Amino acid sequence: MKRTALLTLLSISTFTTAVFAQQDSMMLDKIYHESFYQGQAYDNLHYLTKQIGHRIAGSPAADKAVVWSKSLMEKLDFDKVYLQDVKLPYWDRGPKEKAYIVGSKEPLNILALGGSVATPSKGITAEVIEVQLLSDLKKFGDQVRGKIVFVNKPWDESIVETGVAYGLNSSQRSRGPAEAAKLGAVAYLFRSLSSSTTDDYPHTGGTGYVKGIDSIPAMAISATSAIKLSEALKTNPHTKVYLEQHSAWKGMVQTHNVIAEWKGAEFPDKIITIGGHIDSWDVGEGAHDNGTGTMGTLDAIRTLMALGYKPKHTIRLVFYMNEENGVHGASTYGQVAKDKREQIVAAIESDAGGFAPRGFDIKASAERVVWMQQHWKPLFEQKFWVSRFLQGSPGVDSGVWGQHFPNTVMFNFRPDPHRYFDLHHTAKDVFEAVDKRELQSGVAAIASLLYLVDQQIEQL
């Protein structure tokens, strides 16, 4: 090809790219305007949290959330709205837990960890062995027998990305009861995964047991109560603690994922999945975790519909059931999609709260991520303060079903991380902790990404 012809083609290509970029920028302006002025996520969240409340998978409240969210989807212009059967075991916390330091009757704020067995009906009273790491237990040997193991490791406050700090400690929550039981412990106390040393709210979360090892009661203790207990042990190494909880598994139940589909005009057999989990832990109201994720992704689609947008690909909204204590919903979704040999080309998940949007983690090749950084990041960065487009992990639910779809490009919505773990899995996770402007800004960011993915996924 002659040099002049090549330069002409390059000039045309550059001009065409600039025109499309301008069109995309104008569309993002419309999306943000619609979300801020006409957004419905905040009002829907109010109903979810105040009229339904917390909704652990298998509970009547979770079933109520399924019926209500399906009715929300049916009010929009989806081509199909349906429930997907999910079977799962139902864990119930029972009456409020009790804990105190024996002798002083000094109360300790605790929550049973999800999946924990109960104490005897009259509770447990025992001496306490304090460690920071599970690996430290081995040096105590037989001394652990008959004791309450207390893992008191604060997380690293210097890590700005609090999810990383959370991850560094979370394995001690999930593995702790089994490791303590191996050495004959009678109960397990775990310092809550919290971003504050002044937090007196215990943070629950899932834990597990190992077949063949006795199951012992497992509880989270608030940061300030952990400090209180640690100080008591320094004064008296033989300090005893009383613990009482009544949690139990209640058998298998049937519940549902909630799914809606918006059929694509050009590639109807190619699917973009978007959504988050509809269940929550059984404390607080499940506002940030994950009411903002479900109501936000629904409103992102509503935003595009309100603007008259027609998708190229089929957009499938999924509210997964049981992310918090078993991921049975995501497992079911993935197996059904695999059995049907569906073409899921992309996925967007929101499950990190409703604080101000910062961007997205992307499960894709480095080359694809660089392309997005070059073409999409500039559209978000200067005007909307959304700049994170980094290679990373998908959300929990997407990661589970994504094992069947290794070539699917996955996006994990990332809001500002600083305050999320102040509320995460606690009684503080209520509607009042959500800011409307931050939430609707996140809706706009997600809707904008969904638009770009739908328009340009074939170019990646």
Side-chain angles (χ1 to χ4, degrees), residues 28-296:
L28 264 61
D29 285 343
K30 293 178 182 178
I31 288 171
Y32 270 80
H33 187 277
E34 170 67 23
S35 182
F36 280 132
Y37 282 96
Q38 303 297 331
Q40 297 177 10
Y42 191 71
D43 290 340
N44 288 337
L45 179 67
H46 184 270
Y47 188 95
L48 177 66
T49 54
K50 296 304 180 184
Q51 299 302 316
I52 299 176
H54 58 66
R55 46 204 177 275
I56 194 165
S59 68
D63 290 341
K64 186 176 180 181
V66 164
V67 173
W68 173 76
S69 56
K70 180 173 181 283
S71 72
L72 272 185
M73 295 177 190
E74 289 171 337
K75 294 176 182 177
L76 299 180
D77 292 330
F78 286 108
D79 295 283
K80 188 192 318 185
V81 178
Y82 59 99
L83 301 181
Q84 186 176 68
D85 291 344
V86 178
K87 290 185 178 179
L88 53 84
Y90 171 41
W91 179 82
D92 180 62
R93 180 176 302 279
K96 183 175 174 56
E97 302 87 340
K98 298 177 183 178
Y100 56 82
I101 297 173
V102 175
S104 69
K105 289 280 186 176
E106 189 72 27
L108 301 171
N109 286 331
I110 64 165
L111 278 175
L113 292 175
S116 175
V117 298
T119 62
S121 59
K122 295 184 179 180
I124 289 173
T125 300
E127 290 186 8
V128 178
I129 287 182
E130 177 183 0
V131 294
Q132 278 211 344
L133 300 171
L134 283 174
S135 56
D136 294 337
L137 276 179
K138 294 178 181 178
K139 67 185 180 184
F140 288 95
D142 286 342
Q143 296 177 56
V144 177
R145 189 166 301 280
K147 304 291 199 314
I148 297 168
V149 168
F150 169 39
V151 173
N152 183 28
K153 182 172 174 53
W155 74 5
D156 189 343
E157 289 284 358
S158 69
I159 300 175
V160 172
E161 193 169 332
T162 51
V164 173
Y166 177 91
L168 290 173
N169 275 13
S170 63
S171 65
Q172 297 204 124
R173 183 187 69 199
S174 58
R175 296 188 298 108
E179 293 299 315
K182 284 179 185 177
L183 297 173
V186 295
Y188 184 72
L189 270 181
F190 175 73
R191 179 175 175 143
S192 289
L193 292 171
S194 166
S195 56
S196 173
T197 57
T198 60
D199 184 3
D200 202 20
Y201 285 79
H203 297 231
T204 191
T207 194
Y209 299 105
V210 175
K211 188 175 182 179
I213 300 173
D214 287 343
S215 299
I216 60 175
M219 304 155 212
I221 182 171
S222 74
T224 55
S225 286
I227 294 168
K228 186 188 300 182
L229 177 56
S230 184
E231 291 300 316
L233 288 165
K234 288 183 177 69
T235 302
N236 176 15
H238 298 289
T239 293
K240 290 184 177 182
V241 164
Y242 173 83
L243 301 172
E244 181 184 336
Q245 67 182 43
H246 301 275
S247 53
W249 291 100
K250 299 293 187 178
M252 298 295 293
V253 299
Q254 181 161 300
T255 181
H256 305 88
N257 294 328
V258 191
I259 303 177
E261 294 182 2
W262 189 15
K263 192 173 182 179
E266 293 184 34
F267 309 105
D269 293 331
K270 293 184 177 181
I271 299 164
I272 299 170
T273 291
I274 180 172
H277 67 90
I278 188 65
D279 64 303
S280 76
W281 280 112
D282 54 342
V283 291
E285 295 171 352
H288 278 283
D289 188 17
N290 186 35
T292 56
T294 49
M295 298 304 100

Side-chain angles (χ1 to χ4, degrees), residues 234-426:
K234 288 183 177 69
T235 302
N236 176 15
H238 298 289
T239 293
K240 290 184 177 182
V241 164
Y242 173 83
L243 301 172
E244 181 184 336
Q245 67 182 43
H246 301 275
S247 53
W249 291 100
K250 299 293 187 178
M252 298 295 293
V253 299
Q254 181 161 300
T255 181
H256 305 88
N257 294 328
V258 191
I259 303 177
E261 294 182 2
W262 189 15
K263 192 173 182 179
E266 293 184 34
F267 309 105
D269 293 331
K270 293 184 177 181
I271 299 164
I272 299 170
T273 291
I274 180 172
H277 67 90
I278 188 65
D279 64 303
S280 76
W281 280 112
D282 54 342
V283 291
E285 295 171 352
H288 278 283
D289 188 17
N290 186 35
T292 56
T294 49
M295 298 304 100
T297 50
L298 173 67
D299 202 41
I301 295 174
R302 183 212 60 80
T303 297
L304 294 179
M305 288 178 172
L307 294 173
Y309 182 70
K310 303 298 181 185
K312 292 182 176 183
H313 307 80
T314 292
I315 295 173
R316 178 185 286 164
L317 176 66
V318 184
F319 287 179
Y320 307 95
M321 182 59 73
N322 187 232
E323 185 272 345
E324 295 292 10
N325 61 332
V327 292
H328 288 79
S331 298
T332 298
Y333 175 78
Q335 189 61 53
V336 170
K338 178 186 176 184
D339 292 345
K340 291 183 176 180
R341 297 184 178 181
E342 292 181 336
Q343 299 180 66
I344 304 180
V345 295
I348 301 171
E349 184 169 335
S350 178
D351 182 20
F355 294 104
R358 293 291 175 256
F360 303 89
D361 283 350
I362 309 164
K363 179 184 174 292
S365 67
E367 292 77 13
R368 283 177 157 181
V369 173
V370 168
W371 188 94
M372 293 178 221
Q373 290 170 342
Q374 292 173 343
H375 292 82
W376 294 352
K377 182 179 175 180
L379 296 169
F380 286 88
E381 193 168 26
Q382 292 186 354
K383 190 179 293 186
F384 306 119
W385 290 41
V386 174
S387 59
R388 182 188 181 102
F389 282 79
L390 298 177
Q391 195 169 28
S393 299
V396 172
D397 286 311
S398 299
V400 168
W401 66 255
Q403 297 174 45
H404 300 302
F405 298 87
N407 296 321
T408 299
V409 180
M410 295 187 167
F411 299 87
N412 188 11
F413 175 58
R414 297 300 303 274
D416 186 278
H418 287 288
R419 291 177 288 158
Y420 181 54
F421 288 100
D422 291 346
L423 310 167
H424 184 250
H425 296 180
T426 75

